[in-house]
Amino acid sequence: MLDHQAEEEVGAASNCLVSAERTLETEISGLSAVRAALKDGLAGPFQQTFDLIQKSMGRVIVTGIGKSGHIGTKIAASLASTGTPSFFVHASEASHGDLGMITEHDVVLALSWSGETQELAGIVSYTRRFKVPLVAITSRQDSTLGNAADIVLKLPSVAEACPHGLAPTTSALIQLAIGDALAVALLEGRGFTAQDFRVFHPGGRLGASLKTAKDIMHSGERLPLVAESTPMSDGLVLMTQRGFGVLGVTDELNQLIGIITDGDLRRHVSSNLLEKTAGEIMTRSPKSVAPDTLSASILELVNSLSITSVFVIEDGRPVGIVHLHDLLRVGVA
């Protein structure tokens, strides 16, 4: 039997999981409410905001304070990294010189759950004075912020996950969700590609995963290529010299038609292996990638096929080879 202390520990763990599940269910309900609102009254203002930002010649200035400020910082970062020039201006700092960062060509996105955040007064007044478009993300259309804004993204009233209804939890999550929805819609509207994304994320694992085959491949004389008629005695020498563990086999048009791996060699071990030709040993129609294939996709391919090298093909001709070590070297694996 469990002693008293052990029973208390089990009970505490059980309560912890119940609390966590209740929090997630509450926040999921909040997200569902936002999705429902997008099919109703929120759809029009969301489209208007999308159109306004797309046509803007300036930046998106995100502002807020407290938890809304933290969410606003993330929204600004998401917009900026997906092709929409944006930065965050702290509502309190705005009245102490930071208003000078905002021009008439910009769009201000102001976050306040109540719509009555006093610290936003300076920046709201500034946008009205200089006719800077103002979009409010709030739960109250009839609030001070809502009444002042050109467009109101009115979020549905939702229950906070906090049992006291005080700590911004669900409300903060759905503010972030509508910001993400706007950032992704703008990304898709601009035709923002993975290569564009790479420009804004050159470092770290994400930057590595956005490198392409042509960025990391070996080419030219480093390629382990032989013709179909090449004797395996010569092929094995080249395979050893290049160090990729494979040979590519090409036809008279320099098209890649096969590949020879260590596994192929083992399957053809015999006293006359060295007298055979590459065409007799090779596996036909090998997997390959294009020069613009993302390194993350190459990693997925080599893992799924349990291989260590893959040829890079352009118009059917091998122009490079990528080894698993290359993926390790750039940090994607």
Side-chain angles (χ1 to χ4, degrees):
M1 294 180 62
L2 294 174
D3 59 27
H4 183 65
Q5 181 178 355
E7 288 178 349
E8 287 184 344
E9 290 175 351
V10 171
S14 176
N15 291 337
C16 170
L17 294 176
V18 170
S19 175
E21 184 174 350
R22 183 175 61 246
T23 295
L24 294 175
E25 288 295 337
T26 303
E27 294 191 341
I28 288 171
S29 296
L31 290 172
S32 296
V34 178
R35 182 174 62 183
L38 268 176
K39 299 177 181 179
D40 194 8
L42 186 57
F46 188 89
Q47 181 69 57
Q48 291 172 350
T49 303
F50 173 88
D51 293 339
L52 176 64
I53 295 174
Q54 270 215 319
K55 295 174 183 175
S56 172
M57 300 300 291
R59 296 80 43 86
V60 176
I61 312 300
V62 186
T63 188
I65 198 164
K67 300 299 187 296
S68 292
H70 294 309
I71 297 299
T73 301
K74 168 59 170 64
I75 292 174
S78 295
L79 287 167
S81 69
T82 53
T84 301
S86 177
F87 63 86
F88 180 79
V89 172
H90 194 282
S92 294
E93 296 295 334
S95 297
H96 296 277
D98 284 1
L99 287 174
M101 299 179 181
I102 306 171
T103 74
E104 61 184 5
H105 301 295
D106 297 330
V107 174
V108 172
L109 190 64
L111 284 74
S112 170
W113 185 250
S114 68
E116 299 296 342
T117 304
Q118 181 60 38
E119 289 85 351
L120 285 173
I123 201 166
V124 169
S125 176
Y126 184 87
T127 63
R128 303 305 79 190
R129 178 183 177 187
F130 294 101
K131 295 183 172 54
V132 180
L134 174 64
V135 178
I137 297 181
T138 180
S139 65
R140 291 183 51 199
Q141 180 96 31
D142 61 350
S143 62
T144 300
L145 177 61
N147 288 328
D150 299 295
I151 302 172
V152 178
L153 295 177
K154 181 186 178 302
L155 298 178
S157 297
V158 294
E160 299 287 11
C162 167
H164 308 297
L166 299 175
T169 46
T170 312
S171 59
L173 179 65
I174 65 174
Q175 283 180 315
L176 178 60
I178 201 67
D180 284 344
L182 184 60
V184 173
L186 289 163
L187 176 156
E188 294 177 342
R190 287 190 167 92
F192 196 80
T193 67
Q195 291 308 309
D196 296 322
F197 201 79
R198 178 187 171 194
V199 172
F200 298 107
H201 300 79
R205 187 179 179 89
L206 180 57
S209 68
L210 292 170
K211 290 182 180 293
T212 62
K214 64 184 176 183
D215 294 323
I216 62 176
M217 70 183 187
H218 303 270
S219 58
E221 294 183 356
R222 288 286 292 139
L223 294 181
L225 298 173
V226 295
E228 280 186 90
S229 59
T230 301
M232 283 307 300
S233 56
D234 295 334
L236 282 173
V237 172
L238 182 64
M239 188 173 179
T240 302
Q241 289 175 339
R242 295 296 185 264
F244 295 108
V246 298
L247 275 178
V249 184
T250 58
D251 61 13
E252 63 277 5
L253 298 177
N254 199 30
Q255 301 280 305
L256 186 70
I257 59 172
I259 192 172
I260 299 173
T261 67
D262 290 333
D264 295 314
L265 296 178
R266 286 193 295 271
R267 284 188 291 272
H268 290 84
V269 169
S270 66
S271 58
N272 65 340
L273 171 62
L274 298 183
E275 298 172 9
K276 292 184 178 181
T277 65
E280 294 175 291
I281 300 297
M282 71 182 184
T283 296
R284 291 188 175 275
S285 303
K287 294 292 184 180
S288 61
V289 298
D292 60 354
T293 303
L294 293 175
S295 59
S297 298
I298 300 174
L299 177 63
E300 182 180 355
L301 177 66
V302 298
N303 282 338
S304 64
L305 298 177
S306 298
I307 58 178
T308 57
S309 295
V310 62
F311 279 97
V312 182
I313 302 299
E314 190 169 27
D315 297 327
R317 299 180 177 182
V319 295
I321 187 170
V322 175
H323 190 275
L324 178 60
H325 289 168
D326 300 314
L327 299 172
L328 289 168
R329 173 172 49 82
V330 300
V332 72

